[in-house]
Amino acid sequence: MTTSKSGEAAHAASPKIFSDVEGRKPSRKRKFLRLSLLCLAVCAGTWGVVNNPWLQERRYPGMTLAQLEKARGNRMDDPALLYFQGRRLNEVGRFKDADPLLRQAVALEPALEVYRDEWTKALLGSGLTTAAFGQLKQFVGTYPNSPSSHFLLGKFYVTQHSLLRASEELQKTVSLDPKHGEAWRFLALAEMGLGNRDAARKAITNAVALRPEDAEAYRLRAGLQALSGENAEARQSYETAIRLNPKEPSAEREYAVFLLRVGSTQDDLKRAEIAAAAAVQKDAKDGIAQLTLGQAIARQNRPAESLVYLKNSVQLLSLLPLPAKELADAYRTLGKPDEESQWRQKQLEWQKDDDAKKVIYEKLRINPNDRALHRQMALLLAKQGDVEGCVRNFAAAQGCALDAPPALIAASDALTASHHADLALPLAQRATRITVSNSDAQQALGNALLELGKVNEAAEQYNKAAEWIPSRYAGYKAKILAYRRDHPAQVSPAESAYLKANQEFMGQFGPHRATDTLEASARQAVSLEPNNSEYLRLLIDVMMLKRDRSEVLPFAKRLATLQPDDAPSQLQLALQLVERETRPEAITEAQTLLNSTANKKNLSPSTLSLWHYIAGAIALKQNKGMEAVSELKQSLAYEKADSTYFKLAQAERLAGNAKGANEATRLFTERTDALAQEAQILGQLREQPDVPPLYARAVTLFRLHGKQEQSEAIRLEALRRFGRKFSADAKKSGASR
């Protein structure tokens, strides 16, 4: 009993750990707790499954670009996500946006072929051929025994028409991996281009055997069989290629061309028409498909129906003689001699260029490094609108990379001159992105824009180009004025006022003068189009010629707002703040503007001169004499200006250098005296424009003052007015060349 009682007491005193299990039902609170824990476990498991990297990577291929962008956010640590987003961007032509994503994907997974391949597409699509080549060479250097590295470099060489190097790299690929079917296909393409048919046949046979579902392999095999006269086999290969990839138009186009060449029955002509029509439906800009469809229809005695396709091919295959010949033949069949004669004449004209191209091509096969021949070829290809061939040959002519600015600029100018400004524009834009301080690139962009009728945008580019080479400014202005004169229908009232002001401004001899009519026309242009940067610049230039420049500041502020990335516009505002304002806040604002344009490597000499002038003027206002002297001397090193000598004299005096101040004052006085002499002789010319000796004196005076361009302009004007009479007078006075 004792034992029993003591056991009961002990039981009663101990905590009731198992009481719920033994007797009472669990409370609601405990049920809720258990249910919550269960839900959390389920959610955690679901989250783990959904966000499992293996599963995520299999979701990415089916996601849209918008979904991929949302999934990535700002993350740059998931190479698969970066790759698929980059691939989607490439598919829609956004190569520049794809580049950084694919670059990072390769950085995270440097050995993956698909990442490297897609990045190469982005770089080539952005025109960065050198960068694409560099990263592929680095891939080969890092992984010399990887078939993937040699394959991608070989494929790159194929795209750049460097077929011998392509063959070398692709042979390395298949030696490292004999089962690399795609490498065998590209090797076949390279060997076909090199004329090595036996090697090409072996390669394409391996490609088809290893990749029996590869439509491209069958298309290439068909082309090789057609070249060898194996017509029955070629037919079968073309039909297989079309069946395997019915969305790709190239096999249908080539099959149609093949049938027209070797076919002998009406059934062949009908098949050719069907294949060509399918290719045109998939790609209406395929000039060969349009031509082939027109030919197939015409040969079935339906010339009227063929005209639309043949005319399309003339537009798409610029200046090639065959479409013109087919059109002439169709009009002859229709009994229209005038139209036939018109197209026959074009055929003969374009045939000359085509024959010349063939001659140059044969010469280049013998002398592939002849730069003069490459230039001739580039110019002929520009006439035909062949952008890729034009760039490639200009690059060879100039000994530079395909994406180097000299090749892009030369190709752009040649295409613009051949009335293909729409094709030239992307090349010029690419050149200006690569080198922001190249006057020739900005000029090429201006030329293309002007040819396209975008006058104001062209003027903006010409202004940037003239910042680097001021002597071009007059020529650009003349070009703009000539365009506006020849295209009056495109001249608005604002442009008409601007044109009038510009004609007067550019027609003035020597130093410009702000006449009442000039200022009125410039003001009218700005009042009609207050946000036109070109009009604002002219008005500011005119107002800066006046003694009272108090009105310049608001216009300078507007121009700076419209052109936030244009250094000259920002510096013009800084100049006005320093010169016209006395408030301390104005100096601070000017200093901020100066700092925003401190990347001097992209500034032209005249802009650099202005930059240092403003820096010197700010230092002078802050009583920093030595700093002001240093900045103003740097300004003069870039460009001599009277106002800078005047400021330098003040700065030297503030710095305690009386000798330097006197020397700057002397130079300032000399320059102002020279200007007075020039103004006097020009005033006499305005009053007596028919006196040849005055022109001779003016030519000599400006030459003595070191102003060769102004001297030459006066001489040419005198020759225009007086001809030989002025030449004789000029020799007597020593003003001849």
Side-chain angles (χ1 to χ4, degrees):
M1 293 291 293
T2 305
T3 305
S4 174
K5 284 182 181 179
S6 62
E8 288 175 7
H11 180 75
S14 64
K16 297 183 179 180
I17 297 173
F18 303 104
S19 60
D20 286 343
V21 178
E22 292 172 356
R24 295 201 306 266
K25 294 181 180 179
S27 66
R28 288 184 180 179
K29 186 175 181 181
R30 292 183 180 235
K31 282 184 177 180
F32 179 76
L33 179 61
R34 290 176 181 176
L35 185 60
S36 299
L37 289 171
L38 180 61
C39 289
L40 283 172
V42 171
C43 290
T46 304
W47 183 91
V49 171
V50 171
N51 291 277
N52 182 279
W54 182 88
L55 183 61
Q56 287 278 37
E57 288 188 22
R58 278 143 189 81
R59 288 178 57 232
Y60 295 153
M63 293 171 70
T64 65
L65 177 57
Q67 290 169 334
L68 289 164
E69 287 174 343
K70 184 178 179 181
R72 187 179 69 82
N74 294 321
R75 291 173 54 205
M76 296 290 283
D77 58 351
D78 184 341
L81 181 54
L82 291 166
Y83 162 72
F84 281 106
Q85 187 179 346
R87 193 171 81 173
R88 287 283 184 271
L89 289 166
N90 276 347
E91 287 169 357
V92 296
R94 291 171 56 185
F95 303 109
K96 285 183 68 179
D97 295 330
D99 176 10
L101 302 180
L102 294 165
R103 186 188 302 268
Q104 178 64 9
V106 168
L108 294 170
E109 294 283 358
L112 274 186
E113 178 184 320
V114 288
Y115 291 5
R116 291 268 183 180
D117 192 24
E118 204 64 40
W119 185 24
T120 302
K121 291 177 187 175
L123 291 169
L124 292 175
S126 303
L128 303 176
T129 311
T130 303
F133 175 67
Q135 69 98 354
L136 292 174
K137 284 289 285 184
Q138 181 263 337
F139 189 25
V140 170
T142 307
Y143 302 96
N145 297 318
S146 165
S148 296
S149 65
H150 292 286
F151 169 63
L152 291 183
L153 184 56
K155 190 161 74 165
F156 167 81
Y157 281 134
V158 169
T159 65
Q160 303 306 305
H161 303 275
S162 184
L163 300 181
L164 192 59
R165 290 183 177 179
S167 175
E168 291 170 358
E169 292 298 328
L170 292 164
Q171 284 180 31
K172 289 177 185 176
T173 305
V174 296
S175 68
L176 290 166
D177 181 6
K179 294 186 177 181
H180 198 310
E182 194 175 5
W184 282 112
R185 169 158 62 80
F186 273 93
L187 179 58
L189 184 60
E191 297 295 351
M192 282 175 70
L194 292 168
N196 302 328
R197 289 192 187 178
D198 290 340
R201 183 181 294 277
K202 175 186 174 183
I204 201 61
T205 300
N206 288 336
V208 169
L210 290 165
R211 292 164 62 95
E213 300 301 315
D214 185 350
E216 276 295 291
Y218 282 98
R219 185 178 69 82
L220 280 178
R221 186 172 75 169
L224 187 60
Q225 289 166 334
L227 285 172
S228 302
E230 301 169 17
N231 295 336
E233 292 83 355
R235 282 175 186 260
Q236 186 176 354
S237 293
Y238 275 128
E239 289 170 1
T240 303
I242 294 167
R243 176 178 56 78
L244 289 172
N245 190 2
K247 294 182 180 179
E248 171 57 45
S250 56
E252 289 167 319
R253 178 195 65 218
E254 291 180 20
Y255 186 33
V257 172
F258 166 77
L259 288 170
L260 280 185
R261 184 170 61 83
V262 304
S264 56
T265 65
Q266 283 296 114
D267 184 57
D268 287 333
L269 291 176
K270 191 62 182 175
R271 284 173 179 269
E273 179 187 349
I274 293 169
V280 167
Q281 186 177 12
K282 289 163 190 167
D283 183 4
K285 293 184 178 180
D286 187 330
I288 298 294
Q290 293 273 6
L291 172 62
T292 306
L293 179 55
Q295 289 174 311
I297 293 171
R299 291 184 191 180
Q300 295 178 76
N301 299 318
R302 291 148 51 202
E305 190 181 336
S306 73
L307 292 177
V308 62
Y309 303 109
L310 295 175
K311 287 179 179 178
N312 288 344
S313 71
V314 168
Q315 295 297 320
L316 294 165
L317 304 173
S318 180
L319 306 184
L320 289 181
L322 184 56
K325 175 188 178 300
E326 293 292 339
L327 268 172
D329 291 347
Y331 278 119
R332 181 184 60 194
T333 305
L334 290 168
K336 296 186 176 182
D338 292 343
E339 289 85 348
E340 180 195 353
S341 175
Q342 173 194 345
W343 287 105
R344 196 70 71 193
Q345 186 176 352
K346 289 183 182 294
Q347 176 199 346
L348 295 173
E349 178 187 339
W350 296 344
Q351 188 66 54
K352 289 179 183 178
D353 284 342
D354 207 51
D355 290 342
K357 188 172 73 172
K358 290 175 183 175
V359 169
I360 296 171
Y361 177 76
E362 290 303 321
K363 289 181 179 179
L364 280 171
R365 291 186 65 181
I366 301 169
N367 298 302
N369 298 320
D370 189 318
R371 294 192 175 190
L373 287 175
H374 278 292
R375 176 174 173 75
Q376 292 175 36
M377 179 66 88
L379 292 171
L380 281 171
L381 294 173
K383 289 179 70 175
Q384 296 179 344
D386 183 346
V387 177
E388 183 186 355
C390 182
V391 173
R392 188 171 65 253
N393 279 277
F394 269 123
Q398 304 198 35
C400 63
L402 289 171
D403 57 349
L408 298 174
I409 293 165
S412 176
D413 281 337
L415 287 162
T416 298
S418 300
H419 307 293
H420 295 298
D422 56 326
L423 303 176
L425 185 63
L427 301 180
Q429 289 170 329
R430 195 185 307 164
T432 57
R433 285 197 298 268
I434 295 170
T435 170
V436 296
S437 58
N438 189 317
S439 178
D440 290 337
Q442 289 152 345
Q443 175 180 279
L445 181 52
N447 292 341
L449 289 166
L450 189 62
E451 180 74 13
L452 292 169
K454 299 180 178 181
V455 184
N456 293 330
E457 293 176 47
E460 290 285 344
Q461 295 304 319
Y462 286 147
N463 274 331
K464 291 178 181 178
E467 280 287 319
W468 292 96
I469 306 179
S471 60
R472 292 180 174 180
Y473 186 77
Y476 294 149
K477 286 291 184 183
K479 188 180 288 191
I480 293 287
L481 292 173
Y483 183 89
R484 285 175 166 145
R485 183 184 62 245
D486 296 339
H487 300 79
Q490 299 182 27
V491 178
S492 66
E495 283 194 30
S496 180
Y498 170 77
L499 179 61
K500 182 179 178 183
N502 223 345
Q503 283 175 326
E504 182 177 345
F505 190 75
M506 296 304 298
Q508 294 177 347
F509 268 138
H512 291 296
R513 306 174 309 285
T515 65
D516 291 341
T517 55
L518 173 57
E519 184 179 354
S521 297
R523 283 182 179 275
Q524 183 184 6
V526 170
S527 67
L528 290 170
E529 287 191 28
N531 293 329
N532 187 302
S533 302
E534 182 68 11
Y535 300 170
L536 279 167
R537 282 198 183 93
L538 178 61
L539 179 57
I540 290 170
D541 287 345
V542 171
M543 297 177 79
M544 289 292 288
L545 299 173
K546 299 168 62 179
R547 288 184 179 275
D548 180 11
R549 300 174 180 173
S550 57
E551 291 185 87
V552 176
L553 183 58
F555 293 111
K557 285 183 177 179
R558 189 189 305 172
L559 181 61
T561 302
L562 291 169
Q563 298 286 321
D565 299 322
D566 182 54
S569 300
Q570 302 303 308
L571 291 176
Q572 179 63 252
L573 176 55
L575 175 66
Q576 297 307 314
L577 289 168
V578 172
E579 300 275 309
R580 309 289 155 230
E581 292 272 6
T582 56
R583 298 175 298 110
E585 297 84 359
I587 303 302
T588 303
E589 186 180 347
Q591 185 65 61
T592 302
L593 291 166
L594 202 65
N595 293 341
S596 72
T597 57
N599 184 12
K600 299 188 184 67
K601 68 178 182 180
N602 295 331
L603 301 183
S604 67
S606 61
T607 307
L608 280 169
S609 178
L610 178 58
W611 194 98
H612 287 291
Y613 174 84
I614 296 168
I618 291 173
L620 198 57
K621 287 210 169 190
Q622 294 171 338
N623 294 318
K624 299 175 181 177
M626 293 299 294
E627 184 179 330
V629 168
S630 174
E631 293 290 352
L632 292 166
K633 283 185 175 180
Q634 288 186 71
S635 175
L636 288 168
Y638 288 109
E639 190 172 86
K640 305 287 189 278
D642 303 333
S643 56
T644 311
Y645 283 108
F646 182 76
K647 282 274 194 251
L648 180 59
Q650 293 178 321
E652 294 280 22
R653 200 164 286 114
L654 179 63
N657 183 2
K659 184 179 178 181
N662 291 337
E663 177 62 15
T665 301
R666 183 187 68 78
L667 291 169
F668 173 73
T669 303
E670 280 185 5
R671 292 178 67 85
T672 52
D673 288 347
L675 283 174
Q677 293 171 18
E678 293 165 8
Q680 182 181 16
I681 190 69
L682 291 172
Q684 292 172 352
L685 281 174
R686 282 193 297 274
E687 293 172 4
Q688 305 175 65
D690 299 322
V691 181
L694 284 178
Y695 287 88
R697 284 171 53 195
V699 168
T700 303
L701 181 66
F702 276 91
R703 187 183 298 162
L704 288 172
H705 290 171
K707 298 181 177 180
Q708 302 299 331
E709 288 183 22
Q710 293 92 324
S711 174
E712 181 65 8
I714 296 169
R715 190 185 73 83
L716 292 173
E717 175 63 17
L719 284 172
R720 187 186 69 79
R721 285 174 177 268
F722 310 115
R724 293 180 180 177
K725 187 176 187 304
F726 173 73
S727 297
D729 291 342
K731 285 181 180 178
K732 290 178 185 177
S733 64
S736 65
R737 266 182 166 174

